[in-house]
């Protein structure tokens, strides 16, 4: 099958009419009419549950959305991605990040060539390096590395940062630090207090040209060489990149470079050697579990029937909210402190992928595309922006993420580095901590309930300020515990959701031309900012700001 434009027109028209027909239906009444609504509007795979019953959708909505996906040939497009076709057509590249999390025995080809041998060899090289850093076999001038600093930005930073935080209980290697911002304060604050003789610096940049990363890397090299001498650089640095010559020109030997491929987009690269800092922190075995979680979601996406397929459903609900209901943003609220950077990670994944205004053929799109994605962990968000989510004038669909079991559960900790020493004081503290989780769960569920139910004027005692309109949608994703496997599942779920939405909008989710203009202009402005020259060629505002900043 291919994308069928007349079937698409029919599907959109049917959805619009159906949406209009639901205008006076309240979500609560859907629950009253169907005692099995939760079961009917939830799906799960490998212990990960997605409940979308608190969205205003019916069996007919789902049928029509699935018909839309079929008309857009989402499944055919999915198969073309997994088959290694150059679906990133503006860069003429395949999109094969699923290969870099696939196990031995999986088959992925590119232009007729098998890629798994290269993938597995690179993975093994990273694992070997991680093992030797962890064991102290690869050591610094002052002994085993105690600290690892990852310098990268965007896809070369957000994934490892987010995952390192999410999997904190599994850290049993050197301490991890991340520097991304070109603001020197970031590097200075991270390096302060570190011992250069026991610090390993990873420079992560697919292109090895990104100005922020290269500026930070050069300054970090100065910091290290000042303390240990220029000759120490090659031993205290490693690189993750696809640009061998540039890495070597920087002074990092090829033996310390871990590569990946141009068919892995930066924001899809956490599974590759970009995950090296995480491999060092949690060890190759745990990292392999993380890959297994991503791969399990790939299989689910390829094999599960559409009406039970989590990425398909999450994508279609996204389309429903964006294009039929007209909601401009969506909030992702993890009720899991360790997922605190997950919304930031999703911002790049989703908005750099689907923030597009022309179709794959370069024509203006005919409907809104990627929404604004944002969020913070609950319960903190409740004491900040939830006011607007409940009573503001825009409706913002919320995606809640929740663990069934508390992270402090002793059974969980037995598999991590947080095993307690067994003293009575520790036991008392554990007991105190275990009381937190029910409270966290209750808060998460209360928010989705409040969004749906609302509060009428009568219930609010006639006070309009205390009225909640309700009927506001949310999805809840429930996992057992935040393990490496579960984190892998979650990331791959959201990657494929982005894919499903992009396929329906007919946009290319795999390029990012929208970040280029700012980069070019920044390069041109560096001179005027430094010297104050050439301001007459600039617009009045930019010139005025430069004069003010230069104190002229
Ligand atoms: O922000 C644009 C971008 O190209 C991202 O897509 C990418 O993840 C990031 O810059 C970093 O790029 P690199 O890994 O080449 O330094």
């Amino acid at each position: 099958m291919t994308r069928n434009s007349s079937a698409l027109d029919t599907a959109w028209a049917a959805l619009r009419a159906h949406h209009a027909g639901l205008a006076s239906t309240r979500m609560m009444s859907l629950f009253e009419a169907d005692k099995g609504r939760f079961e009917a509007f939830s799906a799960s795979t490998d212990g990960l549950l997605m409940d979308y019953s608190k969205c205003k959708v019916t069996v007919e909505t789902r049928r029509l959305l699935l018909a839309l996906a079929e008309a857009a040939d989402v499944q055919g497009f999915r198969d073309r991605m997994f088959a290694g076709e150059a679906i990133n057509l503006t860069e003429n590249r395949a999109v094969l990040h699923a290969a870099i999390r696939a196990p031995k025995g999986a088959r992925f080809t590119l232009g007729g060539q098998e890629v798994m041998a290269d993938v597995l060899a690179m993975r093994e090289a990273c694992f070997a390096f991680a093992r030797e850093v962890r064991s102290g076999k690869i050591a610094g001038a002052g002994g085993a590395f105690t600290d690892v600093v990852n310098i990268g930005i965007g896809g070369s930073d957000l994934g490892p940062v987010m995952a390192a935080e999410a999997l904190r209980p599994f850290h049993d290697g050197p301490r991890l630090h991340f520097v991304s911002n070109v603001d020197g304060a970031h590097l200075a604050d991270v390096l302060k207090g570190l011992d250069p003789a026991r610090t390993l610096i990873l420079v992560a940049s697919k292109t090895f040209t990104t100005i922020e990363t290269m500026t930070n890397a050069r300054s970090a090299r100065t910091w290290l060489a000042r303390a240990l001498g220029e000759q120490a650089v090659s031993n205290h640095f490693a690189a993750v990149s696809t640009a061998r010559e540039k890495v070597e020109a920087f002074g990092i030997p090829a033996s310390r470079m871990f590569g990946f491929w141009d068919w892995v987009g930066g924001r899809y690269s956490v599974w590759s050697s970009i995950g090296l800092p995480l491999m060092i922190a949690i060890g190759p075995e745990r990292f392999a579990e993380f890959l297994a979680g991503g791969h399990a979601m790939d299989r689910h996406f390829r094999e599960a029937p559409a009406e039970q397929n989590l990425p398909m459903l999450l994508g279609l609900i996204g389309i429903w909210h964006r294009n039929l209901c007209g909601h401009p943003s969506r909030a992702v609220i993890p009720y899991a402190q360790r997922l605190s950077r997950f919304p930031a990670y999703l911002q790049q994944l989703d908005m750099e992928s689907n923030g597009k205004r022309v179709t794959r053929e370069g024509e203006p799109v005919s409907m809104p595309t990627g929404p604004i994605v944002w969020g913070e962990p609950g319960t903190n968000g409740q004491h900040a922006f939830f006011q607007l989510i409940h009573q503001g004038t825009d409706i913002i669909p919320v995606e809640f993420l929740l663990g069934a079991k508390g992270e402090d559960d002793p059974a969980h900790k037995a598999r991590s580095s947080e095993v307690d020493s067994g003293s009575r004081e520790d036991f008392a503290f554990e007991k105190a901590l275990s009381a937190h989780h029910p409270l966290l769960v209750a808060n998460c569920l209360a928010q989705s309930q409040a969004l749906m139910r609302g509060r009428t004027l009568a219930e609010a005692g006639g006070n309009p300020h205390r009225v909640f309109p309700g009927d506001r949608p949310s999805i809840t994703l429930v996992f057992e515990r935040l393990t490496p496997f579960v984190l892998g599942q979650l990331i791959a779920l959201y990657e494929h959701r982005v894919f499903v939405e992009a396929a329906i909008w007919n946009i290319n989710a795999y390029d990012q031309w929208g970040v280029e203009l700012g980069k070019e202009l920044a390069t041109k402005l560096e001179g005027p900012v430094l010297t104050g020259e050439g301001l007459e060629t600039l617009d009045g505002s930019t010139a005025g700001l430069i004069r003010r900043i230069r104190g002229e």
Side-chain angles (χ1 to χ4, degrees):
M1 234 196 88
T2 50
R3 199 175 165 83
N4 179 332
S5 55
S6 84
L8 273 166
D9 289 346
T10 309
W12 281 118
L15 274 164
R16 277 186 210 106
H18 170 71
H19 178 258
L22 278 179
S24 60
T25 305
R26 298 270 305 176
M27 228 186 274
M28 284 294 284
S29 70
L30 297 174
F31 277 93
E32 282 149 20
D34 178 6
K35 295 293 165 231
R37 182 170 170 80
F38 171 72
E39 287 74 22
F41 293 91
S42 56
S44 60
T45 179
D46 285 323
L48 177 65
L49 170 89
M50 174 178 145
D51 167 28
Y52 60 105
S53 60
K54 289 197 190 91
C55 296
K56 202 196 286 183
V57 291
T58 64
V59 171
E60 179 64 357
T61 320
R62 187 169 55 203
R63 190 186 70 74
L64 292 172
L65 286 169
L66 290 170
L68 177 74
E70 204 174 316
D73 192 26
V74 173
Q75 288 161 331
F77 200 58
R78 172 200 65 193
D79 293 343
R80 293 205 287 282
M81 171 172 75
F82 280 96
E85 247 184 57
I87 62 163
N88 173 2
L89 79 180
T90 61
E91 296 177 313
N92 192 27
R93 286 177 186 165
V95 175
L96 273 179
H97 46 270
I100 50 173
R101 55 190 175 228
K104 209 170 160 185
R107 286 205 67 230
F108 282 90
T109 54
L110 185 69
Q113 296 288 310
E114 180 60 56
V115 298
M116 281 311 289
D118 283 357
V119 167
L120 294 172
M122 183 49 70
R123 191 184 299 163
E124 204 26 67
C126 291
F127 280 3
F129 183 74
R131 273 193 202 100
E132 294 190 352
V133 169
R134 285 162 62 83
S135 70
K137 195 165 170 205
I138 293 179
F145 289 118
T146 52
D147 295 88
V148 176
V149 178
N150 189 80
I151 297 178
I153 197 164
S156 300
D157 168 73
L158 285 161
V161 173
M162 177 276 288
E165 186 57 32
L167 301 177
R168 194 179 275 274
F170 297 87
H171 287 218
D172 54 5
R175 289 180 291 266
L176 282 192
H177 313 269
F178 293 89
V179 177
S180 51
N181 200 323
V182 76
D183 182 346
H186 201 179
L187 184 68
D189 288 354
V190 165
L191 295 184
K192 196 170 175 193
L194 296 191
D195 175 2
R198 304 196 67 178
T199 299
L200 173 67
I201 297 175
L202 304 177
V203 184
S205 174
K206 185 175 167 183
T207 54
F208 230 68
T209 54
T210 304
I211 190 95
E212 293 93 332
T213 300
M214 298 324 297
T215 306
N216 278 321
R218 280 192 294 272
S219 299
R221 189 170 72 178
T222 304
W223 172 80
L224 195 109
R226 193 189 54 189
L228 307 176
E230 211 26 72
Q231 81 292 345
V233 167
S234 60
N235 193 40
H236 280 256
F237 273 76
V240 179
S241 183
T242 55
R244 191 191 201 98
E245 296 89 58
K246 293 194 177 80
V247 169
E248 287 180 321
F250 183 87
I252 300 175
S255 58
R256 281 289 186 91
M257 178 187 131
F258 302 92
F260 55 114
W261 303 271
D262 68 0
W263 38 264
V264 179
R267 54 193 174 274
Y268 298 88
S269 65
V270 63
W271 321 94
S272 70
S273 41
I274 287 290
L276 189 58
L278 191 62
M279 298 175 208
I280 293 173
I282 67 174
E285 290 71 24
R286 296 280 96 86
F287 192 84
E289 292 169 16
F290 169 65
L291 298 183
H295 179 67
M297 186 56 72
D298 290 337
R299 292 192 56 172
H300 171 78
F301 184 42
R302 295 176 83 170
E303 293 166 12
E307 61 279 7
Q308 286 156 29
N309 193 305
L310 266 66
M312 183 69 102
L313 292 168
L314 193 58
L316 290 175
I317 300 294
I319 295 282
W320 174 251
H321 288 151
R322 183 73 176 119
N323 299 112
L324 282 309
C325 307
H327 306 322
S329 88
R330 58 181 168 231
V332 179
I333 314 291
Y335 275 71
Q337 179 58 29
R338 293 191 178 112
L339 283 176
S340 60
R341 297 298 288 161
F342 196 62
Y345 174 78
L346 288 187
Q347 285 184 322
Q348 189 200 16
L349 175 64
D350 200 318
M351 297 204 280
E352 198 168 72
S353 296
N354 284 350
K356 306 285 163 66
R357 50 181 291 286
V358 295
T359 64
R360 290 167 60 78
E361 292 75 33
E363 300 295 328
V365 293
S366 59
M367 62 184 72
T369 59
I372 297 158
V373 179
W374 58 285
E376 276 287 316
T379 56
N380 300 22
Q382 289 170 212
H383 297 272
F385 50 78
F386 267 67
Q387 165 64 41
L388 184 148
I389 292 185
H390 285 292
Q391 289 189 319
T393 48
D394 273 315
I395 295 179
I396 298 165
V398 181
E399 293 167 13
F400 294 103
L401 279 76
L402 178 66
K405 300 281 191 301
E407 294 297 309
D408 50 293
D409 185 319
H412 182 213
K413 290 169 71 175
R415 290 185 290 120
S416 75
S417 58
E418 284 189 343
V419 181
D420 70 67
S421 60
S423 72
R424 285 186 58 159
E425 290 74 17
D426 284 343
F427 181 67
F429 181 52
E430 283 203 351
K431 227 175 132 196
L433 279 182
S434 68
H436 291 217
H437 195 63
L439 200 56
L440 185 73
V441 172
N443 269 278
C444 179
L445 300 183
Q447 292 306 318
S448 63
Q449 208 180 29
L451 283 168
M452 175 173 71
R453 294 169 72 108
R455 177 183 279 154
T456 64
L457 190 60
E459 286 167 340
N463 181 348
H465 297 280
R466 303 190 65 181
V467 168
F468 287 64
D471 217 32
R472 297 194 165 194
S474 67
I475 290 173
T476 306
L477 288 163
V478 180
F479 48 86
E480 194 66 9
R481 289 193 185 96
L482 192 53
T483 60
F485 184 90
V486 166
L487 185 67
Q489 279 182 301
L490 287 173
I491 298 173
L493 167 64
Y494 274 92
E495 284 180 358
H496 293 320
R497 171 284 182 106
V498 164
F499 174 91
V500 169
E501 293 182 339
I504 290 175
W505 289 321
N506 191 31
I507 55 176
N508 181 13
Y510 301 102
D511 61 14
Q512 55 283 319
W513 302 107
V515 302
E516 293 304 323
L517 181 58
K519 283 187 196 172
E520 276 167 35
L521 295 182
T523 308
K524 287 190 188 142
L525 285 177
E526 212 184 331
V529 169
L530 261 176
T531 63
E533 285 165 19
L535 300 192
E536 63 292 347
T537 63
L538 302 176
D539 62 87
S541 166
T542 308
L545 288 167
I546 292 178
R547 280 193 198 95
R548 168 69 183 75
I549 288 157
R550 289 179 51 80
E552 288 168 2

